[in-house]
Amino acid sequence: MIGSPDLPVVHGVVTGGDLASLVVSADEVEAWPVGSHLWGHYAERTEQGEVLCRTENVSACHEAFARLVDGVLRDVASSAEGGAVAAFKDKLNYKKPGGAGFGPHQDLLAYPELGRVVSVLVAIDECTTASGCLWLAEGVDRLLPTDDRGVVRADVADSLPWAPVELAPGDAVVIDGLAPHSSEANRSRVSRRVLVASYAPLSEGYDRARYYGLRTAAMVAGSERDGRARISTLADFEGTPVATHPTRHGEPAPDRCTH
């Protein structure tokens, strides 16, 4: 069985018919058009051409993902946090063959005005070292020095005890806000998709509307400051983002949910 026994992996979070439905749901989202403020596709440029690398705020426009994020995944996050939590963010990360990874970072830095966060990453496809699985460094209890991208400084990252988190479809890994993590490019011939849902303690009063409002401002300010295109508040993505990714008909999606 794929899995990392000494890491915070929860096997079989999604199984059977629910796992088959998750795969279908991911296919549906991947086929959505682009441009809504409620959800948005992000693309990257690879040797194979322009490919999707992320869809943000998925559960806002897909009931099956909303049930998952506010159901079993919230239960996993609540257990890890030791108290009630609320989802404030979710995304699908696609890593097509040749798709880029993410530099070492800590999630807490990516969420403006938030004190604590726990994220649950669920494998939709098999996640292996070849396909660009997550790498995690446990035992860190503080924010680490970063470079101007918000990535953990190279000399610090090199000193951490990194371990790969290989997952079978339906398995999950729980990521604390201070846990440094990264991923490499997909060197395989198959796609690697994951759903990531992030939660804050109820006491934080941090909800989806607050996060996505702050996210927009932070991304604009960051890009104006350093000239880097972003797919998140940190400039940790190691690929080449495409500023606009046209739909198959060449028109942007309407500014609302249409699915």
Side-chain angles (χ1 to χ4, degrees), residues 145-184:
T146 61
D147 63 16
D148 63 347
R149 298 184 301 151
V151 172
V152 177
R153 209 172 63 203
D155 61 316
V156 177
D158 289 344
S159 71
L160 297 176
W162 294 100
V165 186
E166 295 190 295
L167 301 172
D171 288 350
V173 59
V174 181
I175 310 165
D176 179 82
L178 292 175
H181 55 285
S182 65
S183 67
E184 298 176 343

Side-chain angles (χ1 to χ4, degrees), residues 60-102:
C61 294
H62 198 291
E63 291 184 4
F65 278 111
R67 288 193 298 269
L68 186 60
V69 168
D70 290 324
V72 63
L73 300 190
R74 183 175 60 187
D75 293 341
V76 171
S78 179
S79 178
E81 176 61 26
V85 297
F88 66 86
K89 171 187 174 70
D90 53 69
K91 61 195 176 189
L92 279 177
N93 278 348
Y94 315 92
K95 195 174 288 188
K96 305 290 185 178
F102 292 81

Side-chain angles (χ1 to χ4, degrees), residues 41-43 45 229 240-245:
H41 282 324
Y42 294 85
R45 186 169 294 109
T240 303
V242 178
T244 56
H245 190 64

Side-chain angles (χ1 to χ4, degrees), residues 6-259:
D6 297 325
L7 293 168
V9 172
V10 185
H11 295 290
V13 171
V14 184
T15 59
D18 291 336
L19 179 56
S21 296
L22 176 59
V23 173
V24 170
S25 294
D27 291 342
E28 291 172 349
V29 171
E30 192 170 349
W32 284 353
V34 184
S36 171
H37 71 290
L38 290 175
W39 50 264
H41 282 324
Y42 294 85
E44 63 175 313
R45 186 169 294 109
T46 72
E47 292 181 356
Q48 287 73 41
E50 294 180 7
V51 297
L52 289 179
C53 58
R54 172 171 293 180
T55 304
E56 187 73 39
N57 205 11
V58 178
S59 66
C61 294
H62 198 291
E63 291 184 4
F65 278 111
R67 288 193 298 269
L68 186 60
V69 168
D70 290 324
V72 63
L73 300 190
R74 183 175 60 187
D75 293 341
V76 171
S78 179
S79 178
E81 176 61 26
V85 297
F88 66 86
K89 171 187 174 70
D90 53 69
K91 61 195 176 189
L92 279 177
N93 278 348
Y94 315 92
K95 195 174 288 188
K96 305 290 185 178
F102 292 81
H105 63 281
Q106 294 171 288
D107 279 349
L108 193 57
L109 283 178
Y111 306 135
E113 300 181 6
L114 181 60
R116 289 183 60 83
V117 60
V118 60
S119 296
V120 182
L121 181 155
V122 181
I124 299 172
D125 307 306
E126 185 175 82
C127 297
T128 67
T129 53
S131 66
C133 70
L134 189 79
W135 286 72
L136 184 65
E138 289 204 286
V140 175
D141 59 3
R142 68 190 188 283
L143 288 174
L144 300 173
T146 61
D147 63 16
D148 63 347
R149 298 184 301 151
V151 172
V152 177
R153 209 172 63 203
D155 61 316
V156 177
D158 289 344
S159 71
L160 297 176
W162 294 100
V165 186
E166 295 190 295
L167 301 172
D171 288 350
V173 59
V174 181
I175 310 165
D176 179 82
L178 292 175
H181 55 285
S182 65
S183 67
E184 298 176 343
N186 185 351
R187 303 183 305 276
S188 76
R189 296 182 179 179
V190 296
S191 294
R192 186 234 67 174
R193 298 172 296 179
V194 297
L195 169 67
V196 185
S198 297
Y199 302 83
L202 284 180
S203 59
E204 293 267 352
Y206 199 84
D207 60 14
R208 194 173 294 266
R210 181 180 177 190
Y211 165 70
Y212 279 106
L214 292 168
R215 175 182 184 272
T216 299
M219 289 177 67
V220 170
S223 293
E224 289 179 348
R225 182 178 61 251
D226 58 25
R228 294 187 177 100
R230 281 168 161 73
I231 68 171
S232 61
T233 55
L234 302 180
D236 56 340
F237 182 56
E238 296 185 332
T240 303
V242 178
T244 56
H245 190 64
T247 67
R248 66 190 63 181
H249 302 296
E251 297 294 332
D255 197 20
R256 57 187 173 84
C257 294
T258 58
H259 308 277

